[in-house]
Amino acid sequence: MKIYRLLIIVLTLILCSCGGAKYTYSFEKGKNIHFNNGKWILNEPFTNYEDRDAYEFSKEEFHKILGDSLLDLTELRKTKIIKKQLPLDPTRSELKEIKKYSHCDYLINIHSEIIKDEMGSSSMSTPNIGTVTKYNDAKTKIIIYDLNKLELISETTAFGQVKVTKKADDDESVLESLIKYTTPGRILALQSIKKLIGKYNKNKLD
């Protein structure tokens, strides 16, 4: 069932990739990371949208980089005293506690949010007068902690946006209006996760 759901997500992302979305990236800290050492925990993503797929999708993408070094949080909780969701911005004492109970070396936190979803997945209608611009925006931040050194080692951000401007004199048929679509906020959010993890994969150190 999980594989089927992931397949649906991937197909949806591919179909929506032509919806005019643009992505920008910033690397506040740790653009190049060694992923070939230690055990890694992927925390439950912090989101402002209800979507279990965000965790499964993130896990699938990071598994391409980490393989079996990436531990499933659900499985880890079966044998360790691990909270369902670890802190987004843990203190040194919290990092020490996570290390103690998990016996892992790194913690990956993801904060994904839909900022605007003014159009959903549909291109907006042409206004009667004037000009109207609407946006679908989403942002993802990935933060990685070293549980041995008790410190943050990487922080990166991806921002996705779809911008549509319509004028009253736009010459667009009813059929064209119906078949046009944009990338909705949820897909922007998931796509920004995928693209940002892809940046880590591209820039990883051997």
Side-chain angles (χ1 to χ4, degrees), residues 158-171:
F159 179 77
Q161 181 180 83
V162 174
K163 175 183 176 182
V164 176
T165 298
K166 290 288 186 71
K167 297 180 181 179
D169 59 355
D170 282 347
D171 184 16

Side-chain angles (χ1 to χ4, degrees), residues 10-74:
V10 171
L11 289 175
T12 303
L13 292 178
I14 293 172
L15 289 173
C16 290
S17 64
C18 298
K22 295 182 179 180
Y23 297 87
T24 57
Y25 311 92
S26 61
F27 300 86
E28 292 82 13
K29 183 181 179 68
K31 180 178 180 179
N32 307 106
I33 299 294
H34 284 287
F35 287 102
N36 51 3
N37 295 315
K39 297 179 181 179
W40 299 69
I41 305 173
L42 176 63
N43 197 7
E44 289 276 355
F46 292 80
T47 69
N48 64 349
Y49 53 96
E50 294 295 326
D51 197 339
R52 172 65 185 175
D53 293 334
Y55 177 72
E56 295 299 333
F57 185 63
S58 302
K59 184 175 70 174
E60 181 76 9
E61 292 303 308
F62 264 116
H63 188 268
K64 296 175 183 177
I65 304 174
L66 292 163
D68 293 338
S69 297
L70 182 67
L71 302 185
D72 186 287
L73 194 58
T74 302

Side-chain angles (χ1 to χ4, degrees), residues 6-7 11 21 25 29 35 55 60 78 84 106 117 120 126 135 137 157 164 179 181 187 190 196 206:
L6 284 171
L7 180 60
L11 289 175
Y25 311 92
K29 183 181 179 68
F35 287 102
Y55 177 72
E60 181 76 9
K78 291 180 180 179
K84 182 177 181 180
Y106 300 94
D117 201 16
T126 302
Y135 301 85
D137 297 332
T157 305
V164 176
I179 64 175
Y181 65 90
I187 300 302
L190 292 175
L196 196 52
D206 295 327

